[in-house]
PDB file of all heavy atoms in Angstrom:
ATOM      1  N   VAL E 216     -31.750  -1.319  23.492  1.00  0.00           N
ATOM      2  CA  VAL E 216     -32.520  -2.473  23.110  1.00  0.00           C
ATOM      3  C   VAL E 216     -33.990  -2.229  22.854  1.00  0.00           C
ATOM      4  O   VAL E 216     -34.607  -1.535  23.659  1.00  0.00           O
ATOM      5  CB  VAL E 216     -32.358  -3.552  24.286  1.00  0.00           C
ATOM      6  CG1 VAL E 216     -33.104  -4.794  23.939  1.00  0.00           C
ATOM      7  CG2 VAL E 216     -30.926  -3.762  24.526  1.00  0.00           C
ATOM      8  N   SER E 217     -34.545  -2.539  21.707  1.00  0.00           N
ATOM      9  CA  SER E 217     -35.899  -2.429  21.574  1.00  0.00           C
ATOM     10  C   SER E 217     -36.595  -3.835  21.533  1.00  0.00           C
ATOM     11  O   SER E 217     -36.072  -4.694  20.935  1.00  0.00           O
ATOM     12  CB  SER E 217     -36.291  -1.686  20.306  1.00  0.00           C
ATOM     13  OG  SER E 217     -35.974  -2.387  19.144  1.00  0.00           O
ATOM     14  N   ILE E 218     -37.872  -3.918  22.149  1.00  0.00           N
ATOM     15  CA  ILE E 218     -38.459  -5.157  22.093  1.00  0.00           C
ATOM     16  C   ILE E 218     -39.981  -5.044  21.779  1.00  0.00           C
ATOM     17  O   ILE E 218     -40.542  -4.058  22.080  1.00  0.00           O
ATOM     18  CB  ILE E 218     -38.407  -5.847  23.570  1.00  0.00           C
ATOM     19  CG1 ILE E 218     -38.945  -4.855  24.559  1.00  0.00           C
ATOM     20  CG2 ILE E 218     -37.035  -6.249  23.826  1.00  0.00           C
ATOM     21  CD1 ILE E 218     -39.463  -5.643  25.866  1.00  0.00           C
ATOM     22  N   PRO E 219     -40.543  -6.009  21.106  1.00  0.00           N
ATOM     23  CA  PRO E 219     -42.023  -5.913  20.944  1.00  0.00           C
ATOM     24  C   PRO E 219     -42.631  -6.416  22.238  1.00  0.00           C
ATOM     25  O   PRO E 219     -42.111  -7.358  22.851  1.00  0.00           O
ATOM     26  CB  PRO E 219     -42.304  -7.066  19.862  1.00  0.00           C
ATOM     27  CG  PRO E 219     -41.076  -7.912  19.871  1.00  0.00           C
ATOM     28  CD  PRO E 219     -39.963  -7.179  20.406  1.00  0.00           C
ATOM     29  N   ASN E 220     -43.528  -5.680  22.753  1.00  0.00           N
ATOM     30  CA  ASN E 220     -44.148  -5.864  24.155  1.00  0.00           C
ATOM     31  C   ASN E 220     -45.327  -6.931  24.058  1.00  0.00           C
ATOM     32  O   ASN E 220     -46.336  -6.647  23.506  1.00  0.00           O
ATOM     33  CB  ASN E 220     -44.648  -4.523  24.655  1.00  0.00           C
ATOM     34  CG  ASN E 220     -45.309  -4.812  26.119  1.00  0.00           C
ATOM     35  OD1 ASN E 220     -45.027  -5.745  26.744  1.00  0.00           O
ATOM     36  ND2 ASN E 220     -46.134  -3.822  26.339  1.00  0.00           N
ATOM     37  N   PHE E 221     -44.971  -8.194  24.645  1.00  0.00           N
ATOM     38  CA  PHE E 221     -45.963  -9.203  24.525  1.00  0.00           C
ATOM     39  C   PHE E 221     -47.162  -8.961  25.582  1.00  0.00           C
ATOM     40  O   PHE E 221     -48.114  -9.714  25.544  1.00  0.00           O
ATOM     41  CB  PHE E 221     -45.359 -10.549  24.752  1.00  0.00           C
ATOM     42  CG  PHE E 221     -46.014 -11.753  24.242  1.00  0.00           C
ATOM     43  CD1 PHE E 221     -46.228 -11.954  22.852  1.00  0.00           C
ATOM     44  CD2 PHE E 221     -46.726 -12.620  25.088  1.00  0.00           C
ATOM     45  CE1 PHE E 221     -46.909 -12.930  22.380  1.00  0.00           C
ATOM     46  CE2 PHE E 221     -47.484 -13.737  24.600  1.00  0.00           C
ATOM     47  CZ  PHE E 221     -47.608 -13.854  23.175  1.00  0.00           C
ATOM     48  N   ALA E 222     -47.027  -7.940  26.381  1.00  0.00           N
ATOM     49  CA  ALA E 222     -48.138  -7.704  27.273  1.00  0.00           C
ATOM     50  C   ALA E 222     -49.098  -6.551  26.826  1.00  0.00           C
ATOM     51  O   ALA E 222     -49.955  -6.106  27.577  1.00  0.00           O
ATOM     52  CB  ALA E 222     -47.605  -7.412  28.662  1.00  0.00           C
ATOM     53  N   HIS E 223     -48.857  -6.171  25.670  1.00  0.00           N
ATOM     54  CA  HIS E 223     -49.729  -5.123  24.909  1.00  0.00           C
ATOM     55  C   HIS E 223     -51.222  -5.544  24.958  1.00  0.00           C
ATOM     56  O   HIS E 223     -51.473  -6.691  24.867  1.00  0.00           O
ATOM     57  CB  HIS E 223     -49.255  -4.835  23.569  1.00  0.00           C
ATOM     58  CG  HIS E 223     -49.919  -3.695  22.872  1.00  0.00           C
ATOM     59  ND1 HIS E 223     -50.516  -3.827  21.692  1.00  0.00           N
ATOM     60  CD2 HIS E 223     -50.045  -2.391  23.304  1.00  0.00           C
ATOM     61  CE1 HIS E 223     -51.040  -2.694  21.282  1.00  0.00           C
ATOM     62  NE2 HIS E 223     -50.790  -1.777  22.217  1.00  0.00           N
TER      63      HIS E 223
END
Side-chain angles (χ1 to χ4, degrees):
Chain E
V216 180
S217 72
I218 58 158
N220 177 23
F221 202 70
H223 186 236

